Amino acid sequence: MAATLKDVALAAGVSIKTVSNVINDYQHIRADTKQRVMEAIDELGYSPNLSARSLRSGRTGVIGLAVPELSLSYFAELADAVITAAERRGLKVLIEQTGGGDRARELEILRSPRLQMTDGLLFSPLGMSNEDAHYLDVNFPLVLLGERIFGGPTDHVTMSNVESARAATAHLISKGRRRIAVVGGHRGEVIGSAGLRLRGYQQALEEAGIPFDPALVGHTTFWHRANGATSMRELLESGVEFDAMFGMNDTLALGAMRVLQEAGRRIPDDVAVIGFDDLDEGRYSLPTLSTIDPGRVEIADTAVRVLQERISRRDGDTPPREFEARYQVIERESSALPG
Amino acid sequence: MAATLKDVALAAGVSIKTVSNVINDYQHIRADTKQRVMEAIDELGYSPNLSARSLRSGRTGVIGLAVPELSLSYFAELADAVITAAERRGLKVLIEQTGGGDRARELEILRSPRLQMTDGLLFSPLGMSNEDAHYLDVNFPLVLLGERIFGGPTDHVTMSNVESARAATAHLISKGRRRIAVVGGHRGEVIGSAGLRLRGYQQALEEAGIPFDPALVGHTTFWHRANGATSMRELLESGVEFDAMFGMNDTLALGAMRVLQEAGRRIPDDVAVIGFDDLDEGRYSLPTLSTIDPGRVEIADTAVRVLQERISRRDGDTPPREFEARYQVIERESSALPG
DNA sequence: CGGCAATCCTACAACGTTGTAGACTCGCGG
DNA sequence: CCGCGAGTCTACAACGTTGTAGGATTGCCG
């Protein structure tokens, strides 16, 4: 079986505590004993039992990341960034999938005892709404991601949804467009990605003195490619005129672009398009997709940092903080027109 | 902080072992004591400390999954399937990223302190090659995924690379195509996804009596969208003629399609295209992408099942087994021609 | 009614680690 | 020469759980 401190201690002729001290870089150890211990460790191929260590210390060195589905590119890229950020800080990441917006499963995650293998949780809900905020008041370190809940009882790392959506819309306006369709609206939503981004869209219109036309907003339940396609088909059938489109995320935009092209609309000539998320995919679509980089890497870094602070300080009393990542408009072919 | 067995035992007026027995569904417990214990558990909000449990039992209930990067859609979808399969079996998944084909990092994962808190590892290398097979001979349960190493010392779950690539090529041939370009070749590779799929391609040509023309094979180091684009650009510049293209994966195929369209080639009319992987993305590209479904879900299910068997049986002696998932040709618009 | 098995429960000892308290050496100043 | 602090090491007791062995209590059979 695997060697333990005891075995190493025996081999090196010291107490187990001394071995433990060597491993934990305790200051006052004679150079020669230290070396003897190191040799014994190498020889036996010892490595510490992390279950025992975390039983003793109360820490596992693992954080949980709960996202809807890794098949959704945005969450896959987020998970990538989180794992990378965590690794830099010596943490491992255990990933849970809550399903695409399944509120019940999301609540279950918050209750589940299984999370005990982790020191804290990065939680990105999709089905919960602001009324569920009190469920976030749990007794373990929790950092909230995403735009479903604001003003909750925990730290929160989010995008600048309103501002960046306004910038995206303003970008289309700066290209001379005035009839800007939207794909991905959620009826009646005020916060949540859809609500916030629609607000940004409206703000940009207002600033440009363009009246808001509800007929230009396509609604979808989910934000998959298929929904973007369907929504665009509906817009086209409705006969409403438009010379630009803002996709609430890249996946929607790509699905919608596909339908536009089938319908014979040229992009960007007939319809200028911008998405949201800066997925790798948009870099190689035809045409390449203009988009908003929502600062995914910054979000992941901040979230992991803040969670780690909460874990190590154990300060349940510091009031919850809110962080907004910096965004960036990325112009590609789908909106490249003489400004 | 959190309640322990001791607290519950005190509250219920029984010994801690009895509480433990209730939790573990031990047979011989009087109904009324059981109920008293349950009530105490509910009241105190007790949930078992998993570190202690796994120190005692030697199991953590967590498996590791090491993949190159989650940003690569294939691995994101694989991770999704693995997490889903693991959950069905009561296991959690800790994900480790090795970087896109970084052999040194892959080897390090195998050496790393028992991969921290996991009972076993699903390992999908990209940089290691068959000569590294002996590194897989580790003292923890390990199941190998992917096509980099065959005949190694561990269980191995893989795609039917040769057969399915042959089927993909045969599909193009059945559409009347005879000059079939390939994107994604690795020079000199015999096994590995590129080597195997190229072999399948050649077999299909041979069966159809079409001579193999090396000029039709585009080489790339990586399999990202950009590589597909670059490779296709090179093929076009080389002036070689072709009426079909087999992308060694969907990402390559999509990148290459993009370049073909820019160059004015119609798909599928001028060039019929098929990819490999059945990524969600290909369902919404323009045109939609024909592809091979390599049986990703089956691979994940099998891998998790086999790993769990190795973990629970602890039978280091059963000889390593090899599993091949069933594939399927999926015809979409990019190769839809009168057969 | 004695005895024996089945049932129900408990005390104790691990699992491998680290914090605490303290023992034993030095070297040095008083 | 003693005392003292710094340096080096050790013994012991936890962390929360479960396996083992065995002590009570019951039911049932002869």
Side-chain angles (χ1 to χ4, degrees):
Chain A
M1 277 322 266
T4 71
L5 281 185
K6 207 165 147 188
D7 303 323
V8 177
L10 203 69
V14 296
S15 77
I16 59 170
K17 183 67 221 226
T18 300
V19 181
S20 169
N21 284 338
V22 169
I23 290 165
N24 294 291
D25 271 330
Y26 180 67
Q27 295 273 332
H28 307 300
I29 305 178
R30 274 214 316 270
D32 62 325
T33 44
K34 182 164 180 171
Q35 187 175 346
R36 251 185 316 146
V37 170
M38 298 287 245
E39 281 165 7
I41 287 177
D42 277 356
E43 192 173 340
L44 296 173
Y46 168 81
S47 74
N49 178 316
L50 298 183
S51 295
R53 187 176 269 181
S54 67
L55 170 59
R56 199 43 246 234
S57 69
R59 299 276 168 69
T60 63
V62 178
I63 60 176
L65 171 66
V67 293
E69 302 177 46
L70 289 180
S71 296
L72 301 177
S73 302
Y74 175 75
F75 292 108
E77 300 199 7
L78 178 65
D80 180 336
V82 166
I83 292 174
T84 305
E87 197 193 342
R88 258 202 305 278
R89 297 171 170 272
L91 296 170
K92 303 271 168 188
V93 180
L94 195 148
I95 298 188
E96 296 270 349
Q97 295 191 121
T98 55
D102 182 339
R103 174 171 171 277
R105 282 212 54 194
E106 289 172 359
L107 294 179
E108 199 192 326
I109 291 276
L110 292 175
R111 256 194 297 271
S112 145
R114 312 269 203 105
L115 268 163
Q116 301 266 332
M117 294 288 301
T118 60
D119 296 335
L121 178 65
L122 298 180
F123 186 51
S124 182
L126 206 56
M128 289 172 64
S129 62
N130 229 45
E131 295 132 42
D132 298 317
H134 63 279
Y135 286 113
L136 297 175
D137 194 6
V138 293
N139 59 0
F140 53 84
L142 176 67
V143 171
L144 179 68
L145 300 177
E147 358 291 325
R148 297 292 305 171
I149 298 174
F150 286 85
T154 64
D155 290 335
H156 184 192
V157 183
T158 178
M159 306 172 176
S160 310
N161 281 280
V162 179
E163 279 183 52
S164 52
R166 187 173 60 191
T169 312
H171 170 75
L172 295 174
I173 295 172
S174 79
K175 298 299 184 178
R177 306 298 160 128
R178 315 220 2 125
R179 300 282 303 163
I180 302 173
V182 175
V183 169
H186 287 171
R187 237 173 269 281
E189 191 178 281
V190 178
I191 63 174
S193 313
L196 297 170
R197 292 178 197 172
L198 188 65
R199 196 187 312 164
Y201 163 82
Q202 287 175 305
Q203 286 183 4
L205 292 184
E206 198 170 340
E207 277 164 21
I210 303 175
F212 170 61
D213 179 357
L216 283 169
V217 181
H219 295 275
T220 71
T221 335
F222 295 109
W223 280 10
H224 292 215
R225 288 183 188 79
N227 306 110
T230 308
S231 184
M232 178 49 71
R233 229 169 262 127
E234 287 168 7
L235 280 172
L236 290 175
E237 279 166 15
S238 79
V240 64
E241 300 219 344
F242 54 90
D243 51 14
M245 176 196 95
F246 170 34
M248 294 238 185
N249 81 2
D250 282 357
T251 327
L252 284 166
L254 290 164
M257 257 187 3
R258 158 79 213 254
V259 170
L260 280 171
Q261 288 169 315
E262 271 181 346
R265 313 277 180 117
R266 288 166 309 159
I267 302 172
D269 314 68
D270 301 331
V271 181
V273 174
I274 190 164
F276 197 111
D277 275 353
D278 191 24
L279 296 187
D280 193 40
E281 198 181 332
R283 249 164 259 187
Y284 298 95
S285 56
L286 180 64
T288 54
L289 180 64
S290 297
T291 190
I292 297 290
D293 168 7
R296 189 168 39 244
V297 170
E298 187 186 339
I299 289 174
D301 282 349
T302 307
V304 173
R305 176 174 59 75
V306 169
L307 183 60
Q308 196 176 38
E309 282 171 17
R310 288 282 178 187
I311 290 169
S312 55
R313 284 220 231 98
R314 287 239 152 264
D315 50 356
D317 295 344
T318 314
R321 291 164 298 173
E322 189 112 351
F323 300 87
E324 270 204 1
R326 273 158 308 204
Y327 67 91
Q328 219 175 338
V329 178
I330 298 182
E331 175 174 334
R332 299 213 186 90
E333 294 164 1
S334 68
S335 69
L337 298 155
Chain B
M1 270 331 259
T4 71
L5 282 186
K6 210 165 143 187
D7 303 322
V8 177
L10 204 68
V14 295
S15 76
I16 59 169
K17 184 66 225 233
T18 299
V19 181
S20 168
N21 283 339
V22 169
I23 290 165
N24 294 290
D25 271 330
Y26 180 68
Q27 296 271 334
H28 307 299
I29 305 178
R30 271 211 320 269
D32 61 325
T33 45
K34 181 163 180 173
Q35 186 176 343
R36 251 185 315 147
V37 170
M38 297 289 244
E39 281 165 8
I41 288 177
D42 277 357
E43 191 172 343
L44 296 174
Y46 168 81
S47 75
N49 178 314
L50 298 183
S51 297
R53 188 176 267 181
S54 68
L55 169 60
R56 200 44 248 236
S57 70
R59 298 275 168 69
T60 63
V62 178
I63 60 175
L65 170 67
V67 293
E69 303 177 45
L70 288 180
S71 297
L72 302 177
S73 303
Y74 175 75
F75 292 108
E77 301 201 5
L78 178 65
D80 180 337
V82 165
I83 292 174
T84 304
E87 197 193 340
R88 257 201 305 277
R89 297 172 170 270
L91 297 169
K92 300 274 164 190
V93 181
L94 196 149
I95 297 187
E96 191 89 50
Q97 295 191 120
T98 55
D102 183 338
R103 174 173 171 275
R105 284 211 52 193
E106 289 172 359
L107 294 179
E108 201 192 324
I109 291 275
L110 292 175
R111 256 194 299 272
S112 114
R114 306 203 353 164
L115 196 68
Q116 317 251 17
M117 312 227 89
T118 59
D119 295 335
L121 178 66
L122 297 181
F123 186 51
S124 181
L126 206 57
M128 290 172 63
S129 60
N130 231 43
E131 295 132 41
D132 298 317
H134 63 280
Y135 286 112
L136 297 176
D137 195 3
V138 293
N139 60 0
F140 53 84
L142 177 67
V143 171
L144 179 68
L145 300 177
E147 358 291 326
R148 298 292 307 172
I149 298 173
F150 286 85
T154 65
D155 290 334
H156 184 191
V157 183
T158 179
M159 306 171 179
S160 310
N161 281 280
V162 179
E163 279 182 54
S164 53
R166 188 172 60 192
T169 312
H171 170 76
L172 295 173
I173 295 172
S174 78
K175 300 296 183 179
R177 307 298 159 127
R178 306 201 33 104
R179 300 281 303 163
I180 302 174
V182 176
V183 169
H186 287 171
R187 239 173 267 284
E189 192 179 281
V190 178
I191 64 172
S193 312
L196 297 170
R197 293 178 195 172
L198 189 65
R199 196 188 310 162
Y201 164 82
Q202 288 175 305
Q203 285 182 6
L205 293 184
E206 198 170 339
E207 277 165 19
I210 303 173
F212 171 61
D213 179 356
L216 283 169
V217 181
H219 296 276
T220 71
T221 335
F222 295 109
W223 280 10
H224 292 216
R225 289 184 186 79
N227 307 109
T230 309
S231 184
M232 179 48 71
R233 231 169 259 127
E234 286 168 9
L235 280 172
L236 290 175
E237 279 165 17
S238 78
V240 63
E241 301 220 344
F242 54 90
D243 52 14
M245 178 196 95
F246 170 34
M248 294 243 185
N249 79 5
D250 282 356
T251 329
L252 284 167
L254 290 165
M257 257 186 1
R258 157 80 214 254
V259 170
L260 280 171
Q261 289 169 315
E262 271 180 347
R265 312 278 180 117
R266 287 167 309 160
I267 302 172
D269 314 67
D270 300 332
V271 182
V273 173
I274 190 166
F276 198 111
D277 274 353
D278 191 24
L279 296 187
D280 193 41
E281 199 180 330
R283 247 164 262 187
Y284 299 96
S285 56
L286 180 65
T288 54
L289 180 63
S290 297
T291 190
I292 296 290
D293 168 9
R296 191 169 36 243
V297 170
E298 185 185 341
I299 288 175
D301 281 349
T302 307
V304 173
R305 176 173 59 76
V306 169
L307 183 59
Q308 196 175 38
E309 283 170 17
R310 287 283 179 188
I311 288 169
S312 57
R313 282 220 231 96
R314 285 240 152 265
D315 51 358
D317 296 344
T318 314
R321 289 164 299 172
E322 189 113 351
F323 300 86
E324 270 201 3
R326 272 157 309 200
Y327 67 91
Q328 219 174 337
V329 177
I330 298 183
E331 175 174 332
R332 299 211 186 93
E333 295 164 0
S334 69
S335 68
L337 297 154

